[in-house]
């Protein structure tokens, strides 16, 4: 795998794991069973929670099948996978994450380099395509995480 892509995926997945733990363990938002479940129910849980914690120093901005978490210690925008995966990503989210890490001014892009790196990694079997997706989502087989792995799931 391209070294820049490896670093980007590792940084993204580390923050994604932090956000998942924050949302579902610390804040108690129920884990969705699918991206659609998040779109239908997760938004309501976030809206209710946001009203109660409006001044707590973080922002939760749900969208479609995902959420943008803006926390004093991290920021990550991700989508839940079609079967509720908590460890998938797409090229756009990687580009957005790099954009935030570099504190770049809008707009995000270009990100043809990330697209090419992902294509190369797919052709070498270094990334997994998430089956039956509504978008092009991938998983890193070295960084898979199941909901049962959450520290609050025991």
């Amino acid at each position: 795998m391209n070294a820049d892509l490896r670093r980007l995926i590792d940084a993204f997945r580390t923050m994604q794991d932090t956000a998942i733990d924050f949302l579902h363990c610390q804040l108690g938002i129920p884990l969705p069973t699918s991206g659609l479940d998040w779109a239908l129910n997760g938004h309501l849980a976030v809206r209710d929670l946001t009203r109660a914690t409006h001044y707590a120093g973080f922002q939760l901005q749900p969208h479609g099948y995902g959420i943008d978490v803006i926390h004093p210690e991290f920021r990550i925008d991700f989508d839940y996978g079609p079967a509720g995966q908590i460890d998938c990503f797409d090229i756009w989210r990687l580009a957005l994450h790099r954009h935030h890490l570099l504190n770049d001014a809008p707009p995000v892009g270009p990100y043809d380099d990330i697209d090419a790196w992902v294509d190369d990694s797919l052709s070498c079997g270094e990334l997994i395509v998430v089956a039956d997706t509504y978008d092009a989502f991938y998983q890193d087989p070295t960084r898979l995480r199941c909901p049962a792995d959450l520290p609050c799931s025991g």
Side-chain angles (χ1 to χ4, degrees), residues 12-152:
F12 180 90
R13 287 287 299 110
T14 296
M15 281 199 194
Q16 186 179 32
D17 286 345
T18 300
I20 290 289
D21 292 347
F22 176 69
L23 292 168
H24 303 294
C25 293
Q26 293 181 28
L27 299 180
I29 296 170
L31 272 168
T33 57
S34 67
L36 182 59
D37 178 36
W38 176 259
L40 296 173
N41 301 307
H43 292 238
L44 300 175
V46 169
R47 185 189 68 212
D48 293 344
L49 180 67
T50 301
R51 287 183 184 149
T53 60
H54 183 68
Y55 298 103
F58 61 87
Q59 296 176 39
L60 305 177
Q61 300 174 345
H63 55 74
Y65 293 150
I67 188 166
D68 185 6
V69 181
I70 304 166
H71 188 278
E73 297 174 22
F74 63 91
R75 180 172 187 178
I76 186 81
D77 185 328
F78 66 93
D79 282 352
Y80 292 93
Q85 293 95 330
I86 58 173
D87 58 2
C88 55
F89 52 87
D90 59 23
I91 293 169
W92 163 248
R93 294 293 185 294
L94 291 177
L96 181 61
H97 189 68
R98 179 174 66 183
H99 181 84
H100 291 302
L101 288 174
L102 297 174
N103 291 316
D104 281 348
V108 174
Y111 50 90
D112 293 341
D113 53 347
I114 298 172
D115 197 22
W117 298 336
V118 167
D119 283 345
D120 288 345
S121 290
L122 285 170
S123 67
C124 295
E126 298 167 326
L127 291 176
I128 299 168
V129 175
V130 178
D132 299 321
T133 60
Y134 34 78
D135 206 350
F137 283 104
Y138 311 101
Q139 289 174 305
D140 177 352
T142 69
R143 302 276 320 232
L144 296 177
R145 188 174 192 207
C146 297
D149 297 335
L150 293 179
C152 57

